């Protein structure tokens, strides 16, 4: 599929991986809608650098806000071709002490919101969905139970929707490994992660963005979960 002129919504598109995805799809000729929650200045800066870009605020944990986001895309463009579910809540805590709210909020943003946005976007004519999952979906991590469970659910949602929405909508996922270290990771933790990666380095948000562009473009791919992790899933 030629992405030139296609309308693409990237959730969490103001920072890190979402920002890289927005730039990559824009280089392919897509018209970008950048969703943000609190990062208004960053979202505006991204949109200003795109050939065609706009921004929309929404708290995706809220059903009404999800609907308002899709309504805003419809009002701006009249359609939506590509949906990139990138926005996510990431928290680290021992399971025994993980608060109930942390589970609710991570499941709401990381799993329920993508499902909700796909459903709301169907009348707008979407043809391709790419969900950003995580290698944590199949590799257990201590102190990340809620996050990992939400991403595992998103992997299964990807597969289910790929089957149910075919042939009109293709649904795929990218599973990044470490492309940006969380700010609370010590030097020792960072070194330990790098030692487990066969390519002996972490990736870059641009690596994920190129994978997203590939899955959006290739018309005969659906139900794919593509690891972008330097081979970390092999161990």
């Amino acid at each position: 599929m030629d992405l030139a002129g296609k309308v693409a919504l990237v959730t969490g598109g103001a920072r890190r991986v979402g920002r890289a995805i927005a730039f990559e799809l824009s280089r392919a000729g897509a018209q970008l809608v950048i969703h943000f929650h609190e990062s208004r200045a960053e979202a505006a800066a991204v949109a200003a650098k795109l050939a065609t870009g706009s921004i929309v605020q929404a708290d995706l944990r809220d059903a009404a806000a999800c609907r308002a986001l899709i309504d805003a895309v419809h009002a701006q463009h009249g359609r939506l071709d590509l949906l990139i579910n990138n926005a996510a809540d990431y928290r680290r805590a021992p399971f025994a002490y993980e608060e109930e709210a942390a589970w609710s909020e991570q499941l709401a943003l990381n799993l329920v919101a993508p499902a909700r946005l796909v459903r709301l976007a169907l009348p707008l004519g979407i043809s391709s969905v790419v969900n950003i999952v995580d290698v944590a979906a199949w590799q257990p991590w201590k102190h990340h139970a809620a996050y990992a469970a939400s991403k595992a659910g998103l992997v299964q949602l990807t597969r289910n929707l790929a089957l149910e929405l075919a042939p009109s909508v293709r649904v795929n996922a990218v599973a990044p490994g470490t492309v940006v270290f969380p700010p609370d990771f010590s030097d020792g933790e960072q070194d330990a992660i790098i030692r487990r990666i066969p390519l002996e380095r972490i990736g870059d948000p641009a690596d994920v963005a190129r994978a997203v562009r590939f899955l959006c473009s290739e018309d005969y791919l659906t139900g794919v979960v593509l690891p972008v992790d330097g081979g970390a899933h092999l161990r």
Side-chain angles (χ1 to χ4, degrees):
M1 180 172 65
D2 185 357
L3 303 187
K6 301 297 185 185
V7 178
L9 169 62
V10 180
T11 67
R15 304 169 63 196
R16 295 186 293 270
V17 169
R19 180 178 185 271
I21 293 170
F23 284 132
E24 185 68 27
L25 295 182
S26 180
R27 283 191 288 271
Q31 304 176 60
L32 270 295
V33 179
I34 307 301
H35 155 266
F36 69 96
H37 181 202
E38 297 177 335
S39 304
R40 179 178 294 275
E42 293 96 329
V46 172
K49 295 178 181 178
L50 302 177
T52 305
S54 60
I55 65 174
V56 181
Q57 191 277 337
D59 181 349
L60 299 183
R61 296 169 298 182
D62 179 73
C66 288
R67 180 171 294 279
L69 171 61
I70 298 301
D71 287 347
V73 175
H74 186 228
Q76 290 178 17
H77 297 281
R79 71 180 200 278
L80 177 61
D81 303 296
L82 312 173
L83 172 60
I84 315 301
N85 284 309
N86 167 73
D89 186 3
Y90 173 90
R91 305 187 199 182
R92 179 166 68 160
F95 175 75
Y97 301 101
E98 205 162 24
E99 296 180 356
E100 188 74 21
W103 275 85
S104 297
E105 291 174 8
Q106 287 181 87
L107 288 169
L109 182 57
N110 300 353
L111 177 57
V112 177
R116 184 178 285 136
L117 290 174
V118 172
R119 186 185 306 111
L120 292 169
L122 288 175
L124 275 64
I126 56 169
S127 57
S128 178
V129 176
V130 179
N131 296 318
I132 306 302
V133 295
D134 196 296
V135 294
W138 53 78
Q139 289 182 337
W141 293 358
K142 289 176 64 176
H143 302 162
H144 293 84
Y147 176 76
S150 69
K151 289 299 187 176
L154 188 55
V155 167
Q156 190 61 16
L157 178 69
T158 299
R159 296 175 183 275
N160 275 303
L161 295 187
L163 180 62
E164 184 166 345
L165 301 181
S168 58
V169 184
R170 295 183 300 108
V171 185
N172 295 292
V174 175
T178 304
V179 295
V180 178
F181 281 118
D184 61 342
F185 273 36
S186 68
D187 290 345
E189 288 174 314
Q190 294 181 27
D191 290 342
I193 288 172
I194 291 172
R195 287 195 298 271
R196 292 198 296 267
I197 301 173
L199 295 187
E200 298 182 347
R201 61 179 176 85
I202 68 168
D204 186 272
D207 298 321
V208 180
R210 287 190 295 270
V212 170
R213 177 176 175 175
F214 170 73
L215 291 175
C216 286
S217 302
E218 294 301 318
D219 287 332
Y220 203 56
L221 294 179
T222 196
V224 169
V225 181
L226 177 61
V228 180
D229 64 355
H233 66 283
L234 301 173
R235 292 183 169 171

